[in-house]
Amino acid sequence: MDQDEKSFEILVAEYRGMVHAYCLGIVGDAHLADDLAQETFIVAHRRLADFRPGESFGAWLRGIARNLIREDRRSAARRHVVADSDVVAGMEDVYARLDDKSRGDSWNERLGLVRGCIEALPAVMNQAMALVYGSGLAVAAAAARAGASADTFQRRLSRARDKVRECVETKLRLERVL
Amino acid sequence: MSRPEPLPRDAADRRRLGRQLAVDGLVASALTGSEAGRTAAAAPDAAAGSMASRLRTRRRRGMGLFWPAACAAAAACALAVFWHFGTDAGPRPLDGDIRTEDGQTAASLSTGQWYRAGSEGARLSAPGGGSIEISGETVFAPLQRGVMLRSGEVTGRELASAELRAGPLAARAAAPGTSVLLARPAGAEPDEAAVAVLSGRALAGRGTPGASLSAGHVLACGWGVEPRPFAAGELRALIEERRGALAGRGECDRYQGILGEYAASVERMRRELQGLPPGTPEAEAMESRIASLTECAAAHQRRVPQLKADAAEHARIDRREAFLDRVIRESRTGQPTATAAVHGPESPACGVLMASTSP
């Protein structure tokens, strides 16, 4: 069990960024996501014996996180999101790709990859991302801060998200080729 | 976020929404970091370093009240006084031992005897701690042994202006035959007290008894609710709702257990490290694991104060609900169903002063 414990410690260090991001995407509240991520690892620690070697540890953790979100009263407004198999499958499309352990790098490095893509955005899109995701402003407030109409800002934000997704996917493909 | 947003009807759109949520989470997490992962996120990584200035310092939302006591329910007990406004009571002299306490004369009061506070009122203490001020001319009977008169006079009778006070609350009868339950936790904040009417009608209020309370209604101070009369059931539902925002009762203990496990693991790994030749890859790997584990433990440790505060809040809610349950029960019958001490297992020394004016 000692060896298992050590392995688990390493896995926690490696996956906590992923679990936090996953919970944050669903509940949209950084504090709550912090709590849920910690809860996820506590539950995972207790149920480590249930994990089957060879399966995706990341997917297993995300399953635990979804269950916690379903049970947590503070995330009641988003419960239906994790109960929908299509939404969950859509999230898995992205996360399973990032789970790929073939390069052996950590989730924090993968998040670094996302940061790199955000930095590479045109200035106005970078600002939109920073206002909404970095400062936590609502779209209307962020639009006002950026001096744009809400519609324009929403379109800008949507394009920025698409660009980041494309950028991350391209980088992952390039890494595989190289 | 308070209301569930409807999901798209089309399955492909829902799948697209899932992908969008995934990207949202990744972007937000990349820009702000998690509490636990912030150190790693701010590591000298080419991409992360340039964004470090955007990482915000988060502060956990506090509960406001934090009792730095043990994780188990805080030891606070209820000092309850029941009194009944009747018509008359025969004057009784003080009965029992005369003692000297703190340089002042004090007397122990006998149970089942009727007493009246002097014109300046009186302060009584229960054996387990806590005290109650009896306002001038109030007639009462202690129903528990060991009740002490700490100051003031206790001699007379007459009930016309009978009034009891606990903490900031004052109450008096507004109709014949009124029964009132007054509670104040021992060791509570100076502001905390509650008064409930079991039968009849009373006037109660903060400082001055200004609000009219009918049977089954409660006025509470220091409970974090509006300072107005509530039906006991309504107030119970209101305070029960607060549990939703609290961590589970056993969470604090569970976290402490996990922290113990972390500490034991770190200790074991440090011992192993001492047996490894310094500077070797094995030693460096072990040091890295120790650092990683220590960081995890610190992340858990940061949550403990909040969990302690939540545990203390659970205990406060338990105590208040016990009081309200009693009000609901006894205001139906108009009769007190219990004269035993109201205390939980966490406060075995808690005493309850039962006092009643003559029927």
Side-chain angles (χ1 to χ4, degrees):
Chain A
M1 191 60 192
D2 271 3
Q3 197 54 47
D4 283 349
E5 292 270 331
K6 284 175 192 167
S7 306
F8 184 74
E9 290 153 13
I10 295 163
L11 289 168
V12 169
E14 190 170 326
Y15 281 97
R16 63 188 169 203
M18 180 275 286
V19 175
H20 179 264
Y22 188 76
C23 294
L24 185 54
I26 296 169
V27 301
D29 178 303
H31 297 290
L32 182 53
D34 274 334
D35 288 351
L36 289 164
Q38 286 210 23
E39 289 286 311
T40 299
F41 285 109
I42 291 167
V43 172
H45 184 263
R46 292 283 153 104
R47 296 184 187 162
L48 198 55
D50 297 345
F51 175 66
R52 293 179 194 164
E55 286 183 1
S56 163
F57 190 70
W60 185 63
L61 287 174
R62 289 194 291 275
I64 292 173
R66 281 197 299 275
N67 285 334
L68 288 170
I69 290 168
R70 277 196 203 106
E71 290 164 8
D72 194 298
R73 291 174 70 169
R74 292 169 295 175
S75 53
R78 305 309 294 260
R79 210 167 275 162
H80 65 306
V81 171
V82 288
D84 187 280
S85 59
D86 290 314
V87 176
V88 170
M91 294 191 79
E92 282 301 302
D93 287 346
V94 176
Y95 278 90
R97 211 170 296 182
L98 290 167
D99 266 343
D100 185 353
K101 301 292 294 171
S102 58
R103 280 186 69 252
D105 57 4
S106 73
W107 255 95
N108 283 323
E109 287 167 317
R110 302 246 179 221
L111 284 177
L113 193 111
V114 177
R115 286 186 204 105
C117 287
I118 297 168
E119 289 221 302
L121 288 171
V124 286
M125 291 189 189
N126 189 307
Q127 182 202 32
M129 286 280 190
L131 287 172
V132 172
Y133 296 110
S135 301
L137 293 178
V139 170
R145 183 80 64 87
S149 71
D151 284 349
T152 304
F153 189 86
Q154 186 68 64
R155 279 197 298 275
R156 190 181 291 167
L157 192 64
S158 178
R159 279 203 307 275
R161 274 198 297 253
D162 289 344
K163 275 186 171 293
V164 168
R165 189 166 56 227
E166 287 163 13
C167 168
V168 170
E169 284 175 358
T170 305
K171 281 192 178 184
L172 287 172
R173 270 200 302 274
L174 279 175
E175 281 170 356
R176 255 180 227 119
V177 172
L178 292 170
Chain B
M1 282 276 290
S2 57
R3 274 188 198 165
E5 294 160 20
L7 295 176
R9 284 187 167 186
D10 184 66
D13 288 340
R14 289 202 300 276
R15 193 157 186 141
R16 200 170 298 120
L17 172 67
R19 286 197 291 271
Q20 187 190 315
L21 290 176
V23 173
D24 283 354
L26 287 167
V27 170
S29 192
L31 285 174
T32 63
S34 65
E35 268 188 334
R38 191 165 295 115
T39 309
D45 168 291
S50 57
M51 295 300 290
S53 61
R54 292 186 191 173
L55 300 180
R56 289 184 298 151
T57 303
R58 290 190 187 286
R59 211 166 72 82
R60 283 199 56 78
R61 289 165 291 190
M63 285 300 295
L65 294 170
F66 169 52
W67 290 3
C71 291
C77 56
L79 172 66
V81 173
F82 167 76
W83 90 102
H84 182 97
F85 294 93
T87 53
D88 194 8
R92 306 275 178 146
L94 271 180
D95 185 10
D97 299 329
I98 302 296
R99 300 178 186 178
T100 300
E101 188 178 45
D102 301 326
Q104 294 184 354
T105 302
S108 64
L109 306 183
S110 297
T111 57
Q113 298 292 323
W114 296 103
Y115 299 97
R116 190 185 67 184
S119 58
E120 298 298 316
R123 176 176 283 271
L124 307 176
S125 66
S131 66
I132 184 83
E133 283 183 19
I134 305 291
S135 60
E137 309 299 329
T138 299
V139 175
F140 64 97
L143 301 180
Q144 186 183 30
R145 295 180 69 175
V147 171
M148 298 283 292
L149 170 66
R150 298 291 297 268
S151 61
E153 293 178 2
V154 179
T155 51
R157 59 179 193 180
E158 301 296 333
L159 294 166
S161 59
E163 178 176 310
L164 275 177
R165 287 178 183 273
L169 274 183
R172 63 182 163 81
T178 296
S179 297
V180 177
L181 186 64
L182 189 71
R184 183 158 193 264
E189 298 292 319
D191 205 33
E192 185 175 348
V195 60
V197 175
L198 303 180
S199 65
R201 195 166 59 84
L203 292 171
R206 194 186 175 87
T208 316
S212 178
L213 273 74
S214 53
H217 282 70
V218 180
L219 182 70
C221 281
W223 285 24
V225 295
E226 288 177 69
R228 66 171 175 85
F230 283 93
E234 183 193 0
L235 185 53
R236 195 186 191 287
L238 206 62
I239 63 172
E240 175 62 25
E241 217 176 81
R242 291 183 188 166
R243 290 195 202 269
L246 303 177
R249 283 173 185 279
E251 284 301 275
C252 191
D253 289 340
R254 206 155 65 82
Y255 262 65
Q256 299 281 29
I258 289 168
L259 282 170
E261 287 170 19
Y262 273 138
S265 293
V266 167
E267 183 58 36
R268 191 181 59 244
M269 290 162 79
R270 284 197 175 127
R271 278 200 302 274
E272 281 181 37
L273 180 63
Q274 282 173 352
L276 295 172
T280 59
E282 291 79 13
E284 284 174 7
M286 183 63 78
E287 282 170 357
S288 167
R289 285 204 294 270
I290 290 172
S292 162
L293 190 56
T294 305
E295 201 183 317
C296 286
H300 280 80
Q301 184 67 55
R302 280 196 291 274
R303 183 117 199 264
V304 168
Q306 183 62 41
L307 294 176
K308 283 183 180 177
D310 285 1
E313 183 66 7
H314 273 298
R316 279 191 286 272
I317 291 173
D318 287 347
R319 195 180 63 228
R320 289 163 186 171
E321 287 185 347
F323 171 75
L324 293 169
D325 285 342
R326 191 174 163 196
V327 173
I328 292 166
R329 203 167 52 239
E330 293 177 11
S331 60
R332 277 197 206 112
T333 61
Q335 294 293 323
T337 56
T339 56
V342 179
H343 59 71
E346 74 281 6
S347 54
C350 176
V352 174
L353 168 66
M354 297 290 288
S356 172
T357 53
S358 144

